[in-house]
């Protein structure tokens, strides 16, 4: 089955659990919040994180595909939850995301908070439900995902740095952007029965590359291409690879990071295909003009 | 060890994990968010939910006390997370909680959202970490907590009903107030190696009683006693047992519910002590004047 099909199917299955799977007699879910859960995860963006996760799982043999698919869905639910909360008025105050109104605009602000909360819970719920496949791996998946989502080193910590007067830039970037890429490579390995640690560096480097690519997109693309406002790094005075080293410098930096990422791939049966996936991911990351240069 | 000591110690241990337990080299947590985690869980309120959880665990033999303590802490983290998010301007817009400024006032709104998110993640993280004690029980604890926290029947669903034009009142109350009491009795049983289902009714009835007691407190107490604004049910036009059946009627209703709760306790070694705990909990629930009447 194609990766996209596996990912979309696993996400749809997870959302259905969040919408309707009640154990109590006569249980019904609040319809608008149930609808918001689905709205928040569709249409998918590039699904980069679950694609990396499944690619790593396949490189490691993917002997428990149901567990890999569940891990991929759980990771994407967390990513979508973070987008819903990041778009809130108290954060980016974004009206549009992936070309449609954000949840607090399309529904309301309470439902946006609750939608994010529910997606976070659902991510851990589906991993625990998949434990029949392999309890030890399911628990390791929960721990890896929790570590890269919450405090002190997950995406919550990353966002938390934006409320500090003095920012530890390395910790900030690693937590804010890198964390879910580290979760992607670690969880892919865990789902296929491997230890997570050797896969940390690959995730961290892909995360770094993604941050630089995001900076490039923010600087080079217009709002229509992005599906969200452009030029936000300058508006919000956020640190950016483009303001720091210019467009050409940022592209060279991206190329170096990706070479490092590929070099860091642990020895495994599917090493060559995985390297190819990292190259393809890089091409999807970068906007039209610099894509050729960055795909090296 | 006294229940209070076990609970406070387990919560403090959990918060320390959220503040400092990094696997990455040179990892540091954002200090204000780290501080907010602790602020959100201290000083404790009555800790009613973890007290019920440990009481049920002890009634069932409490053969894995570390697992029981972790379950109690995880449940209280979720409860505190829900308070932090419920106090946000988009929900109750509350400035005070437990006699001190709410998180979005004491810190800021982004940190309040992130603090709630981080506490939710931490709850599942500590349960997964406790899996060495008994992987099967840890996974069952995660599933029970997830079911009573998220969608479609947890506290998120309960809050979600407040954004519906047409409300299913039974589903609303059971999810909003009952869910974490059901989690308390179920998780206490699971931690001690028992099946959760026979314990669902006790939790649901305690939850109902708590809702009625909360309605009584809101109607009878002043803001100083409550540590938060009083008379909010009338202000927000929320359904209330007091507006529905008057103060005397609500007290009688509370007495009936508690009798039913005690009658529902499954046969177990500590049945008598547990019944006594439910009576004591009832007395702590109700404000000074009606406490004697309700403690029957």
């Amino acid at each position: 089955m194609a990766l996209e099909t596996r990912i979309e199917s696993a996400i749809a299955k997870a959302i259905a659990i969040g919408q309707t799977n009640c154990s109590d007699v006569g249980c019904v879910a609040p319809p608008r919040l149930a609808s918001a859960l689905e709205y928040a995860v569709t249409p998918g963006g590039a699904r980069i994180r679950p694609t990396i996760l499944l690619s790593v799982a396949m490189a490691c043999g993917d002997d428990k595909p149901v567990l890999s698919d569940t891990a991929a869905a759980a990771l994407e639910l967390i990513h979508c939850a973070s987008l819903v909360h990041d778009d809130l008025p108290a954060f980016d105050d974004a009206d549009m995301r992936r070309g449609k109104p954000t949840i607090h605009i399309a529904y309301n602000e309470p439902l946006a908070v609750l939608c994010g909360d529910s997606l976070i819970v659902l991510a851990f719920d589906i991993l625990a439900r998949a434990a029949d496949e392999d309890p030890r791996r399911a628990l390791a998946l929960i721990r890896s995902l929790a570590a890269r989502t919450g405090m002190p080193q997950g995406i919550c910590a990353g966002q938390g740095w934006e409320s500090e007067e003095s920012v530890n830039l390395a910790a900030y970037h690693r937590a804010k952007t890198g964390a879910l890429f580290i979760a992607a490579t670690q969880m892919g390995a865990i789902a296929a029965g491997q230890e997570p640690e050797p896969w940390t560096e690959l995730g961290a480097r892909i995360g770094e590359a993604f941050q630089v690519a995001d900076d490039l997109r923010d600087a080079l693309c217009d709002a229509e291409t992005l599906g969200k406002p452009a030029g936000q790094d300058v508006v919000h005075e956020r640190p950016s690879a483009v303001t720091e080293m210019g467009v050409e410098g940022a592209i060279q930096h991206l190329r170096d990071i990706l070479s490092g990422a590929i070099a860091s791939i642990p020895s495994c049966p599917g090493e060559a295909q995985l390297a190819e996936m990292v190259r393809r991911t890089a091409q999807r990351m970068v906007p039209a003009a610099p894509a050729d240069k960055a795909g090296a």
Side-chain angles (χ1 to χ4, degrees), chain A:
Chain A
M1 206 189 297
L3 287 195
E4 292 92 310
T5 316
R6 288 179 63 175
I7 292 167
E8 296 307 324
S9 158
I11 292 170
K13 202 173 141 199
I15 294 298
I17 288 172
Q19 288 176 327
T20 58
N21 205 302
C22 297
S23 62
D24 294 343
V25 178
C27 169
V28 282
R32 293 185 73 208
L33 182 53
S35 154
L37 293 183
E38 194 167 340
Y39 187 96
V41 302
T42 52
R47 307 286 198 209
I48 291 183
R49 293 158 194 79
T51 301
I52 293 169
L53 189 155
L54 285 188
S55 301
V56 170
M58 290 169 78
C60 296
D62 196 27
D63 64 334
K64 302 263 185 193
V66 172
L67 206 53
S68 307
D69 291 352
T70 306
L75 179 60
E76 185 67 7
L77 295 185
I78 292 289
H79 173 57
C80 292
S82 78
L83 298 181
V84 173
H85 281 184
D86 290 359
D87 286 336
L88 285 169
F91 292 91
D92 290 355
D93 196 13
D95 292 349
M96 299 291 286
R97 161 77 64 184
R98 292 173 178 169
K100 64 181 189 177
T102 48
I103 302 265
H104 63 277
I105 299 290
Y107 295 83
N108 63 31
E109 201 175 329
L111 287 175
V113 174
L114 295 168
C115 178
D117 292 353
S118 302
L119 291 173
I120 294 170
V121 175
L122 189 56
F124 294 106
D125 193 12
I126 61 172
L127 288 173
R129 285 168 184 261
D132 291 345
E133 294 282 318
D134 190 319
R136 199 189 58 78
R137 291 189 200 176
L139 284 159
L141 287 169
I142 290 169
R143 287 200 56 183
S144 173
L145 187 59
R148 303 301 165 176
T149 301
M151 277 280 282
Q153 62 186 353
I155 49 174
C156 290
Q159 283 284 17
W161 279 111
E162 297 183 4
S163 285
E164 296 294 331
E165 289 204 4
S166 164
V167 177
N168 181 320
L169 266 185
Y172 167 61
H173 279 307
R174 196 173 170 96
K176 180 169 166 143
T177 316
L180 291 191
F181 288 100
I182 296 174
T185 54
Q186 285 190 340
M187 292 173 78
I190 294 166
Q194 300 300 307
E195 287 301 315
E197 281 67 30
W199 293 89
T200 306
E201 185 178 348
L202 176 62
R205 286 181 185 265
I206 295 175
E208 276 181 70
F210 190 82
Q211 180 63 55
V212 176
D214 204 47
D215 293 349
L216 279 164
R217 273 202 306 274
D218 185 77
L220 298 177
C221 295
D222 58 17
E224 199 181 340
T225 310
L226 288 177
K228 64 181 182 180
Q232 293 296 294
D233 290 338
V234 173
V235 173
H236 294 285
E237 293 180 2
R238 285 192 287 238
S240 153
V242 176
T243 47
E244 207 181 305
M245 50 186 93
V247 170
E248 288 304 312
I251 290 171
Q252 179 57 47
H253 186 47
L254 180 58
R255 189 183 292 141
D256 294 344
I257 296 168
L258 288 166
S259 302
I262 289 167
S264 84
I265 297 174
S267 176
C268 61
E271 200 176 327
Q273 290 104 305
L274 189 57
E276 182 50 34
M277 183 279 303
V278 174
R279 277 187 208 96
R280 275 203 315 278
T281 303
Q283 274 159 353
R284 289 163 76 184
M285 277 183 187
V286 184
D292 297 337
K293 291 181 186 175

